[in-house]
Amino acid sequence: MSNAPKFGLNGPQSEAALYLDGPCLVLAGAGSGKTRVITQKIAYMIEHCGYDPRTIAALTFTNKAALEMQERIAKLLKQPKQAKQLTVSTFHSLGVRILRQEAAGVGLKDKFSIMDSDDCYTIVSDLALSTDKQEIRRIQNTISLWKNGLVDPEDAIKAARDEDEAQAGRVYRSYVATLQAYQAVDFDDLIRLPVELFRNNEPIRDRWQRRLRYLLMDEYQDTNTCQYELVKLLVTGLGKKPMFTAVGDDDQAIYAWRGASVENLKTLQVDFPDLRVIKLEQNYRSTTRILQAANAVIGNNPKIFEKSLWSEHGLGEPIKVMGMQNDDQEADQIAMLISSEHFQRKNNWSDFAILYRGNHQARVMEQALRKERIPYTMSGGQSFFDKAEIKDIIAYLRLIANQDDDPAFIRAITTPKRGVGMATLEVLGEFSKQWNCSLFEAARKGGIEAKLAERQLGSVRNFCHFISELEDRATRPGPLGAGDHAAEVLDDMMKEMNYEHYLYEGFDDRAAQAKWQNVLEFTNWLKDRGRGGRDRDGEEKNLLELTQMVALMSMLEGQDEEQDAVRMSTLHASKGLEYPHVYLVGVEEGILPHKGDPDASIETISARIQEERRLMYVGITRAQRTLHVSWCKRRKRAGELVNCDPSRFIKEMALDVGEAAPMESEILTPKARLASLKALLATPRPVPE
């Protein structure tokens, strides 16, 4: 160890980066530099230990985190191109890679399709014979949890405790069969199917173990049963010592509702008795006061591993707890404080974040910020491009660009309805599997006539003819410029779809109008981009080029993070981020902690409160320099004012009340804020040299 390279890491960080003698668990507290440890460890393995970068896999939970990690590794390597040889991806991206190469092993064709949540919702809705959105989402979520827990349909049916669960189990069985017929997988299958493959096919498992000699997993506390099983299957066997580093923090486990199990951290010690546990407790983000409050809150949870954050950033400013009369006053006060701080401290707007438990809390905050003319961006809510009506239009564009896109085919041919139901699609799915072709190609292939009635086949082929004509026009240069030609084809597509009529038939007038306005905004945006508008180079684009651009829309939205604007975010979406000044709002009983089922068992209620406490801990530890926590005595709920109590978590922060809670006279009124700004402007400024 004395001859080990120096990375500028502290003692525990260095120990974690250099340890390669077996399985390792790095307990990385908030802001403790875990990404630096992972990237330095990978660089050390390549530069000093002779590892082939192609045999190293680093797994994260977001594409953004994977991209950032790969860029940081490239800067550490003498040959930056080696970073491209690494497998740095999400768990699900690794699953796709495995399935693409081993499709036959799980009964899939090479070009299988990946269904999105809305595609799956439609299948579940049809199988459940239900139009109740809440019931369909419940069944869909239950199926997802079963898949993540590696529970097969027959076992789910046998273990059903009531008729609702039995019904969900039967839908699950039909759902699995339907996806197989479509030659499609859903998001959960991207992990589940590789696990089943490795369990049942030892030669394939051995091949992947040889390819991936070392695994590193970030945010390990967020793994579910299925992901943990995939890790075990990749690192055990071949008569060799398990080689992996798992990095996680049990205090930041906030995703149990989607199947994550914090118990995976505890189970590691059982499954891998030689596990080296290394704690990272020095925080490089926050002041001591903020960390003391965070430690005090999380100290009320039972601990898997004892850990206490500390910092060298100094004591810092007192945490402010503000009790407001109502949510309007809360929003106005926070907007005023941010405006005042922005001018007095000369901070960027992007230095401020407003964090809340649920998206429903955002509206009143938005109104207050707009009133103060404060720029803001939002995260954690639904993306414009995730709206059902926008995805409907995108499905047509995707199919025009690529007729092998089966999910797009299914969505487009069934929206609006064309007399093509699930029975017809199941026949097409079986036929496409038999001939190893897309659904689109299967519809036009000879022999399908014997399997479909003339009316059903006619509807399918009319649709395919419509798409083929649009594709032909989209690829042919028109008499006008590329952008005007794209706009013309797009208009004809929308006219033939008759989508506006479909919306007004299926929704009430108000909802239909809102959805149609979204569609018009989207299509006008596409036309503008096609004609070279909003582009740096001003080049026109045809419809196929526009469709390819649509795939980058989520990346384009991500650029908002670079704007100088206040960030508004749910607590869940804020995880992994940090801000100099944080306003944690609506910290009340019933909101944070969230109100759960009052009839649940004591164990269930206790587990929920513990997760909500971890969510509070995440919110506190986003703050670098200052933290404001607010709650309301009365709040509007369902149009009525209800009395509220401060969250138990405020008391658990163990603050000095005299310092932390402002007196009523300290609440910044508009008049007081104006006086403060006038005084600031009247203060002589030094003349620059």
Side-chain angles (χ1 to χ4, degrees):
M1 186 71 74
S2 59
N3 295 323
K6 303 298 182 184
F7 296 133
L9 305 176
N10 65 34
Q13 287 177 332
S14 182
E15 181 186 358
L18 299 178
Y19 184 75
L20 288 170
D21 292 332
C24 179
L25 171 61
V26 181
L27 289 168
S32 62
K34 63 183 176 63
T35 304
R36 189 178 183 194
V37 168
I38 294 173
T39 54
Q40 291 282 12
K41 184 161 194 164
I42 292 172
Y44 171 64
M45 292 168 66
I46 295 171
E47 301 281 9
H48 298 274
C49 303
Y51 271 80
D52 183 336
R54 291 170 295 186
T55 66
I56 301 172
L59 303 179
T60 70
F61 276 83
T62 67
N63 290 319
K64 180 183 175 184
L67 180 62
E68 178 188 342
M69 189 177 292
Q70 195 158 38
E71 289 173 346
R72 289 175 66 168
I73 293 168
K75 292 177 181 177
L76 296 173
L77 297 175
K78 294 175 183 175
Q79 299 179 46
K81 290 183 179 179
Q82 288 182 308
K84 294 293 183 183
Q85 299 175 328
L86 295 161
T87 297
V88 184
S89 71
T90 64
F91 275 89
H92 292 88
S93 294
L94 176 62
V96 170
R97 179 180 165 190
I98 294 169
L99 290 179
R100 292 291 185 201
Q101 296 183 35
E102 313 290 355
V106 290
L108 291 171
K109 62 182 182 182
D110 292 341
K111 294 183 178 179
F112 66 87
S113 300
I114 302 171
M115 297 284 193
D116 67 18
S117 179
D118 287 338
D119 296 326
C120 298
Y121 176 92
T122 301
I123 296 172
V124 171
S125 175
D126 289 338
L127 293 174
L129 303 175
S130 173
T131 57
D132 184 333
K133 292 183 179 179
Q134 189 171 354
E135 180 188 11
I136 296 165
R137 290 295 184 200
R138 177 185 60 78
I139 295 174
Q140 193 176 8
N141 183 61
T142 301
I143 290 173
S144 177
L145 291 174
W146 276 330
K147 285 191 173 188
N148 288 330
L150 294 173
V151 179
D152 66 34
E154 297 307 322
D155 287 340
I157 293 171
K158 290 177 184 176
R161 293 169 295 183
D162 52 40
E163 179 53 30
D164 284 345
E165 284 192 8
Q167 163 69 355
R170 292 190 289 270
V171 172
Y172 180 23
R173 180 171 57 195
S174 300
Y175 174 78
V176 169
T178 301
L179 287 186
Q180 184 68 28
Y182 290 169
Q183 285 293 283
V185 299
D186 63 17
F187 196 63
D188 300 316
D189 288 331
L190 298 178
I191 310 293
R192 183 183 67 86
L193 290 177
V195 167
E196 289 189 1
L197 177 68
F198 290 160
R199 279 178 169 179
N200 301 325
N201 194 315
E202 192 170 338
I204 291 178
R205 174 185 171 187
D206 289 347
R207 184 161 68 240
W208 280 91
Q209 286 185 348
R210 295 178 199 280
R211 286 184 189 178
L212 303 176
R213 288 179 56 201
Y214 200 96
L215 287 186
L216 300 100
M217 291 80 68
D218 194 12
E219 304 289 2
Y220 196 72
Q221 76 281 349
D222 294 335
T223 56
N224 56 42
T225 299
C226 198
Q227 288 162 332
Y228 181 46
E229 187 66 18
L230 179 64
V231 169
K232 285 201 296 183
L233 288 166
L234 282 170
V235 302
T236 55
L238 296 176
K240 68 179 183 66
K241 186 182 295 185
M243 298 297 285
F244 67 84
T245 295
V247 181
D249 181 7
D250 51 324
D251 292 335
Q252 295 188 75
I254 58 173
Y255 292 113
W257 51 275
R258 68 182 189 194
S261 174
V262 70
E263 293 297 310
N264 284 348
L265 285 169
K266 186 187 297 183
T267 309
L268 272 177
Q269 292 182 303
V270 177
D271 291 338
F272 302 95
D274 296 331
L275 184 74
R276 171 75 71 92
V277 179
I278 301 169
K279 299 179 184 179
L280 305 184
E281 297 175 289
Q282 182 174 358
N283 175 284
Y284 292 92
R285 175 187 299 160
S286 308
T287 63
T288 296
R289 273 194 170 111
I290 290 170
L291 295 182
Q292 286 173 342
N295 288 332
V297 168
I298 206 64
N300 290 277
N301 270 1
K303 308 289 282 187
I304 297 178
F305 301 97
E306 286 296 332
K307 182 174 77 282
S308 183
L309 296 180
W310 58 276
S311 168
E312 293 181 342
H313 283 317
L315 188 61
E317 297 185 25
I319 295 171
K320 298 291 185 182
V321 176
M322 303 182 294
M324 298 296 175
Q325 294 300 322
N326 53 55
D327 43 356
D328 287 328
Q329 187 195 38
E330 178 185 46
D332 289 342
Q333 176 68 16
I334 287 171
M336 290 177 186
L337 284 170
I338 289 175
S339 179
S340 178
E341 289 286 294
H342 169 69
F343 287 109
Q344 289 188 30
R345 295 179 186 253
K346 299 181 177 60
N347 290 320
N348 295 322
W349 291 117
S350 57
D351 290 341
F352 299 91
I354 301 173
L355 308 181
Y356 36 81
R357 177 63 175 81
N359 281 308
H360 65 279
Q361 297 170 258
R363 184 185 59 82
V364 66
M365 289 291 166
E366 284 189 86
Q367 292 173 341
L369 293 176
R370 283 198 296 266
K371 186 168 67 176
E372 293 293 318
R373 298 184 178 180
I374 296 173
Y376 66 90
T377 60
M378 297 183 68
S379 64
Q382 184 188 39
S383 161
F384 177 78
F385 302 106
D386 280 339
K387 293 180 182 295
E389 59 271 21
I390 304 303
K391 295 182 82 168
D392 288 343
I393 308 306
I394 290 174
Y396 278 79
L397 296 175
R398 282 166 45 190
L399 195 57
I400 291 168
N402 175 20
Q403 293 179 354
D404 288 334
D405 190 334
D406 284 0
F409 177 89
I410 293 168
R411 187 172 191 125
I413 202 171
T414 56
T415 312
K417 298 290 185 184
R418 299 172 178 272
V420 178
M422 301 308 289
T424 302
L425 289 174
E426 285 179 19
V427 172
L428 277 177
E430 287 292 345
F431 197 73
S432 71
K433 180 182 177 182
Q434 178 185 341
W435 291 98
N436 195 30
C437 64
S438 69
L439 295 172
F440 194 99
E441 187 180 345
R444 298 185 299 179
K445 209 171 187 64
I448 190 67
E449 297 88 352
K451 297 181 179 295
L452 281 175
E454 184 177 347
R455 184 175 63 84
Q456 278 84 10
L457 183 58
S459 297
V460 172
R461 285 185 166 169
N462 285 339
F463 171 77
C464 292
H465 180 68
F466 165 55
I467 295 296
S468 294
E469 276 196 334
L470 289 174
E471 181 199 19
D472 184 53
R473 288 180 59 194
T475 52
R476 255 193 351 244
L480 306 172
D484 286 326
H485 180 60
E488 186 180 271
V489 176
L490 189 60
D491 283 339
D492 289 346
M493 182 189 86
M494 295 301 301
K495 182 179 179 181
E496 179 65 26
M497 285 174 63
N498 202 13
Y499 193 75
E500 183 179 13
H501 176 73
Y502 158 76
L503 289 175
Y504 277 93
E505 272 206 333
F507 301 90
D508 62 62
D509 286 354
R510 184 174 179 180
Q513 183 180 13
K515 288 175 177 291
W516 181 241
Q517 285 302 315
N518 287 335
V519 170
L520 291 178
E521 182 181 339
F522 175 61
T523 53
N524 288 334
W525 181 83
L526 281 176
K527 292 176 190 176
D528 185 51
R529 295 299 294 256
R531 296 186 177 107
R534 303 182 191 176
D535 268 329
R536 293 177 182 176
D537 55 14
E539 290 183 3
E540 295 192 5
K541 292 179 172 62
N542 63 33
L543 194 61
L544 296 185
E545 290 170 328
L546 285 174
T547 303
Q548 292 168 347
M549 185 192 67
V550 168
L552 301 176
M553 284 181 177
S554 60
M555 295 172 64
L556 292 172
E557 286 190 310
Q559 293 174 358
D560 288 343
E561 295 182 10
E562 304 303 322
Q563 294 180 9
D564 185 21
V566 173
R567 175 52 51 95
M568 294 181 61
S569 174
T570 63
L571 285 165
H572 283 98
S574 74
K575 187 164 169 286
L577 303 176
E578 57 187 40
Y579 306 95
H581 310 288
V582 167
Y583 290 80
L584 187 50
V585 304
V587 186
E588 299 151 20
E589 290 293 311
I591 295 181
L592 183 64
H594 183 65
K595 184 179 180 180
D597 180 5
D599 297 324
S601 67
I602 294 174
E603 292 78 9
T604 299
I605 293 173
S606 177
R608 176 179 60 80
I609 294 298
Q610 288 171 28
E611 176 143 338
E612 292 290 303
R613 186 174 284 115
R614 292 193 291 267
L615 197 57
M616 179 72 176
Y617 175 84
V618 166
I620 294 170
T621 54
R622 296 316 91 196
Q624 295 172 303
R625 296 293 171 263
T626 68
L627 174 64
H628 289 74
V629 178
S630 62
W631 65 280
C632 295
K633 297 173 183 176
R634 305 184 79 194
R635 184 176 293 276
K636 288 178 188 171
R637 291 183 185 170
E640 295 184 1
L641 276 173
V642 297
N643 293 326
C644 306
D645 294 315
S647 169
R648 69 194 73 183
F649 301 150
I650 292 177
K651 184 177 181 181
E652 290 177 2
M653 291 169 74
L655 302 173
D656 183 327
V657 176
E659 286 187 321
M663 304 297 290
E664 287 296 324
S665 60
E666 293 182 87
I667 298 296
L668 201 61
T669 63
K671 185 175 180 180
R673 184 171 65 95
L674 182 60
S676 175
L677 290 176
K678 284 181 177 179
L680 178 67
L681 294 172
T683 304
R685 297 184 181 180
V687 178
E689 297 180 1

